[in-house]
Each structure stands twice: as C-alpha cells, then as structure tokens.
Amino acid sequence: MLFTPGPTEVEQGLRDIGSMSLPYFRGKEYTDTIQELTQDLKYLFQTTCTPLTLTSSGTGAMEMAIQNLIDVGDPVVVVNCGTFGTKWVNMCKTFGARVTEVKSPLGKLPDINVISDAITNGTKAVLVTAHETSTGLLNDINAMGELARQKDTLLIVDAVSSIGADHFNFDEFNCDCAIVSSQKALACMPGLSFIVFSEKAWKIIPTVKRGRCYFDAVEYMNNIGRGMLPYTPAMQATFQVHARLKLIRKMGLSQYIEAHAKRASSFRSRMTASDEFSLFAERQSNSLTSLTLPDNCMMSEVTAYIGQKYNWYIAPNPTQDESYLRISHMGNMTDYELSILADRIEEACQYVSR
C-alpha cells in the first residue's frame, strides 16, 4: 500500500476508468468532457478564471508559469522552504531570472517581513510552494497574496500537493498563477497538471518576449473554449480527474478537504500520544504528516523496514534529513489503515534502535 505523497492509492472505480477504451480526442465525447472538466476545475481552484489542462508533471506546469510570466532578466523573489522551493530557485535561474532567495530552515515558516523586505519596486513576481511536500510545511498563501497585492507584484504558487487537501481560494488569496497535479489530493493516475492564470497575469503574458512552444499558455487558451487541448492528451487521466471532480462536487469541496484533515488529525494524535514522536513542520498540511523520529532512529531504516516486511511504502525525504519521515493522508486510505501504520512505525523504530 502507498503512503506516499504521489502517486497515491486510487479506488477501484477510478482505476477501471483508466483501463477503458478511448474515443477520438478531437471528437464530441472527449471535447464535452474537457469542457465539463474545465468548469469543475474552476470549482477546485475556487476561481472565475479559466484553468488549463496540461499533459505534464507538476514540474512542467512550473515551467509553463515561468515561461509565460517571467522574461530573461526579470527580478523575482523565491520563498524557499525545502526541496520544491529549491526547484523554483533553480528553474528561475535556468530561465534567466534574477533571483532573490528567501530561505527558511526546514519545517519552519518563512518570515513574512523578510519576504516583504526582499520585494523591491521592480520585482516581477513572488514564487512560493503552498505545501512544501519535502517537509510537510503549509505556507500562509493568503498572507503572501495580500503582500503581493500591496506590493503590486505577481504571486505564483506551486499548490501541487495542497489543492484538494487544504483550503485554497485562488481568487480570495490574490493569486496570479497556481498549479495542481492529478496524482496528489485528487488521487488519480499521474500524467496531468492544471494551471490557472489571473486576469492580471493574462495582461502580462503577451508582453513576455521569450519563445515558447509546448507550454505556450495562449495556445492552450485558444483551444480550451471548444473543449480541445492543443496536443495529444493523457486521455485516461483526464477521464479519471473528470470523474473525481464530479465526486468532489457531489460531496462538496469543504467536505473533501475535511476528510483529509480528519485523517491527518487522527494519525497525529495517535503518534504524538507517545513522547517519542513529535511533529516536524510547525504548520502542517492536511496532505501529509511530517513526524520527528526518536533520536536513535533513522528515516531510511524505518521506511526500509516497513517496505520490506509489510510491502507498505513511505517515501524517503528528498531533503535527505534522517530525523523525520513523511506519511501521506491523500488517496484511498482509512483511519484504520493509518492506525496499523502507526503500530508498524513504532515497531520499526524499536527494531532499528536495537
């Protein structure tokens, strides 16, 4: 069983969708699906703007955000709270932006005043990760959006593993670009990402001089109104996400988020009842728990023990920090399975510390 922050466990009904025969992707059945999907994505992002569907990993959507909004030489501020914040830094530098990095210790919230001081009159954008999946930290995007509004700069948000698990309101949070992927809180197969640009961002996109092809936002927007994607899509994944969003609509987005919150709360209460464990990130996402291990335990040994003995998988920390591990609460899992996992984590810690 997967307790990893993507891919996640997918229930049988959606897995069946992934194996069905496919229609022509320019035909009415598929284009109608894309039009419905786009409307439901507005509900997911909580926006009146039009989300775009990409056959891409989250990294591809991050690249699309940079290519369409940031020119060579543009000054940007990147809030770096871990591995995926570092990815923003490296990508911005690769595409020629002038980066001011605001870095916080792993698991610690960045200082909003330091971010504010880093933004100058010429700053083009602030880039941030909503949920820093490498540490479990949930940033305050609402506060950052208000800061970006006051400073009249763009706010670009990697919300890949946050949207669907945490409260995220694109319009109310004053975001200008945000992305999410199919294999995280949406609990579908990997292969798709979704990106939305604000009205302010759409005014900037035509002014960006850099060349772009596959990730040209204008090309996607020109096609999306008729239910078409400009390039061959990952069709099974789009049908899965279409079905997932219908389920979320029926359930209610707040209830869907609350289900993640309840799983997270139950697991954290169970683990922190013992003095041996504590929470690693100071503000945790509902997507996963980052759990500080006892002093004599190493993350890699604990995850290896559980994987080898039980065939249950916990993702290693991309930060390479051995002091904590990350347990996903996304996907098709129950409190009962998480309680069994808690027992197995304790068992593993006892075994590796002998």
Side-chain angles (χ1 to χ4, degrees), residues 1 19 61 86-87 95 97 110 212 216 239 241 252 258 264 266 288 308 339:
M1 184 169 181
S19 63
T86 299
K87 179 180 280 192
F95 287 105
R212 44 203 186 260
D216 183 357
F239 281 122
V241 175
E258 182 61 22
S266 176
L288 64 82
Q308 291 166 9
S339 70

Side-chain angles (χ1 to χ4, degrees), residues 10 18 28 86 121-122 170 179 205 227 243 278 291 293 348:
V10 182
K28 189 175 188 303
T86 299
N121 288 335
F170 183 88
I179 61 175
I205 288 170
S278 60
L291 190 70
L293 296 168

Side-chain angles (χ1 to χ4, degrees), residues 146-331:
E146 177 58 24
L147 176 62
R149 186 191 65 79
Q150 293 173 5
K151 297 280 189 172
D152 193 26
T153 188
L154 297 172
L155 180 64
I156 301 173
V157 185
D158 164 8
V160 165
S161 63
S162 185
I163 289 178
D166 303 308
H167 175 60
F168 187 95
N169 190 309
F170 183 88
D171 290 352
E172 287 187 7
F173 288 1
N174 296 296
C175 297
D176 294 293
C177 180
I179 61 175
V180 68
S181 293
S182 56
Q183 80 280 13
K184 302 289 186 176
L186 292 177
C188 295
M189 65 171 64
L192 292 180
S193 290
F194 309 96
I195 187 167
V196 61
F197 295 96
S198 69
E199 292 182 7
K200 179 180 178 179
W202 278 111
K203 292 177 182 177
I204 289 173
I205 288 170
T207 71
V208 174
K209 298 179 178 65
R210 72 165 74 249
R212 44 203 186 260
C213 183
Y214 186 79
F215 292 121
D216 183 357
V218 174
E219 188 69 19
Y220 283 81
M221 183 59 82
N222 287 343
N223 281 273
I224 198 68
R226 57 197 183 111
M228 293 210 180
L229 306 177
Y231 311 108
T232 305
M235 296 178 70
Q236 289 98 336
T238 52
F239 281 122
Q240 276 192 348
V241 175
H242 175 257
R244 172 68 71 203
L245 292 176
K246 292 302 179 189
L247 291 172
I248 292 174
R249 280 273 200 181
K250 183 177 181 181
M251 181 182 196
L253 180 58
S254 61
Q255 285 73 25
Y256 188 74
I257 293 169
E258 182 61 22
H260 288 83
K262 286 180 178 178
R263 289 195 293 270
S265 177
S266 176
F267 178 78
R268 290 165 191 167
S269 295
R270 164 70 175 78
M271 294 307 302
T272 56
S274 166
D275 292 337
E276 293 186 321
F277 299 92
S278 60
L279 300 182
F280 180 74
E282 64 177 318
R283 184 174 188 253
Q284 301 238 347
S285 166
N286 298 324
S287 297
L288 64 82
T289 293
S290 56
L291 190 70
T292 302
L293 296 168
D295 290 340
N296 53 353
C297 294
M298 295 178 66
M299 173 274 302
S300 57
E301 293 178 345
V302 172
T303 56
Y305 176 91
I306 294 171
Q308 291 166 9
K309 184 171 182 179
Y310 295 108
N311 202 32
W312 281 17
Y313 292 95
I314 303 167
N317 299 335
T319 62
Q320 305 302 310
D321 190 319
E322 291 279 358
S323 69
Y324 71 96
L325 55 73
R326 303 172 303 141
I327 304 299
S328 170
H329 307 303
M330 299 178 287

Side-chain angles (χ1 to χ4, degrees), residues 103-179:
K103 193 169 185 177
S104 61
L106 295 181
K108 302 299 182 182
L109 284 166
D111 188 327
I112 195 74
N113 294 317
V114 175
I115 299 171
S116 178
D117 290 343
I119 301 171
T120 67
N121 288 335
T123 299
K124 181 75 168 290
V126 175
L127 298 95
V128 64
T129 308
H131 167 222
E132 178 49 69
T133 322
S134 68
T135 67
L137 180 74
L138 180 66
N139 274 308
D140 188 345
I141 301 302
N142 193 15
M144 293 188 191
E146 177 58 24
L147 176 62
R149 186 191 65 79
Q150 293 173 5
K151 297 280 189 172
D152 193 26
T153 188
L154 297 172
L155 180 64
I156 301 173
V157 185
D158 164 8
V160 165
S161 63
S162 185
I163 289 178
D166 303 308
H167 175 60
F168 187 95
N169 190 309
F170 183 88
D171 290 352
E172 287 187 7
F173 288 1
N174 296 296
C175 297
D176 294 293
C177 180
I179 61 175

Side-chain angles (χ1 to χ4, degrees), residues 5-19:
T8 56
E9 291 288 330
V10 182
E11 63 266 39
Q12 187 62 52
L14 265 72
R15 292 206 303 270
D16 291 342
I17 291 172
S19 63

